[in-house]
Amino acid sequence: MTGVRDYPVAELKQNVVGLAKAARVLKLPIVVTTTARDSMWGPTFPELIEALPGVQIIDRSSVNAFDDPHVARAIEATGRRKLIFAGLSLEVCAAFPAITAVNKGLDAYVAVDACGTFSKTKRQVGLLRMMQAGVILSDYATLMIEVLKDNGRPEAGAVYGAIAMDWALLVGQIAQAYGR
């Protein structure tokens, strides 16, 4: 993350970890990859590893995650037709597999605020390219709330807590206490 220049690194880490935690609460299948972790790009940051205990991290050399057979099989094994992507860098590691997913007839969503890159220009161009390709752009919290669908679900409080909106539970409790 040391090369990220388009987004505050602390906020980016919080968003990535929040996405991972909320996805776990919602029991979504999660595929995590790194690119050349032992050489060029470095290891996965510890907070993400801690948020995803037991999740195998697939190290790859391919630029597009979908070009790695292990990653492609892992994604296909989920059986999902709607996929959420995040990555460093946005215009490559999130955009390339998301665009590939669209080309395979899948719905691809990118959690834009859980992605970072090396300049604001790269971010703008990456977003435009994904929009042109039919990728759906959103923020991580909205995507997780869209998956949640119903605030009456028992895991709603944990989802809001994971996306750093744990105060929502308190607001609900106060409203309930006043009969609203």
Side-chain angles (χ1 to χ4, degrees):
M1 295 188 114
T2 57
V4 172
R5 300 284 183 266
D6 67 318
Y7 210 81
V9 173
E11 186 178 347
L12 178 58
K13 276 187 176 183
Q14 177 182 323
N15 295 350
V16 171
V17 170
L19 175 63
K21 287 180 176 180
R24 285 193 58 96
V25 169
L26 291 165
K27 296 179 177 55
L28 298 177
I30 300 170
V31 177
V32 181
T33 74
T34 60
T35 307
R37 76 172 150 231
D38 297 326
S39 59
M40 188 149 84
W41 294 109
T44 304
F45 63 95
E47 298 90 339
L48 182 58
I49 292 170
E50 185 179 314
L52 296 172
V55 174
Q56 177 194 7
I57 299 173
I58 303 168
D59 191 44
R60 58 186 166 79
S61 62
S62 64
V63 174
N64 182 341
F66 252 116
D67 290 342
D68 182 285
H70 297 97
V71 175
R73 279 194 299 271
I75 293 170
E76 290 164 8
T78 69
R80 300 295 179 117
R81 302 214 34 87
K82 294 177 182 274
L83 305 174
I84 298 171
F85 295 91
L88 297 175
S89 67
L90 169 98
E91 77 287 357
V92 173
C93 296
F96 288 2
I99 291 167
T100 299
V102 168
N103 290 336
K104 290 178 175 282
L106 304 169
D107 294 330
Y109 299 77
V110 169
V112 175
D113 59 347
C115 300
T117 192
F118 312 115
S119 74
K120 291 185 180 196
T121 300
K122 287 182 163 298
R123 183 176 196 81
Q124 291 169 340
V125 172
L127 294 172
L128 289 170
R129 185 168 183 199
M130 286 188 284
M131 289 174 57
Q132 291 168 336
V135 173
I136 301 162
L137 305 176
S138 189
D139 64 275
Y140 87 98
T142 300
L143 289 169
M144 293 297 93
I145 298 305
E146 187 174 351
V147 173
L148 176 66
K149 287 187 174 45
D150 185 347
N151 288 319
R153 288 176 59 178
E155 61 270 63
V159 170
Y160 282 101
I163 62 173
M165 289 179 63
D166 44 1
W167 49 265
L169 184 60
L170 178 60
V171 171
Q173 291 168 339
I174 292 169
Q176 188 175 23
Y178 287 101
R180 296 180 187 185

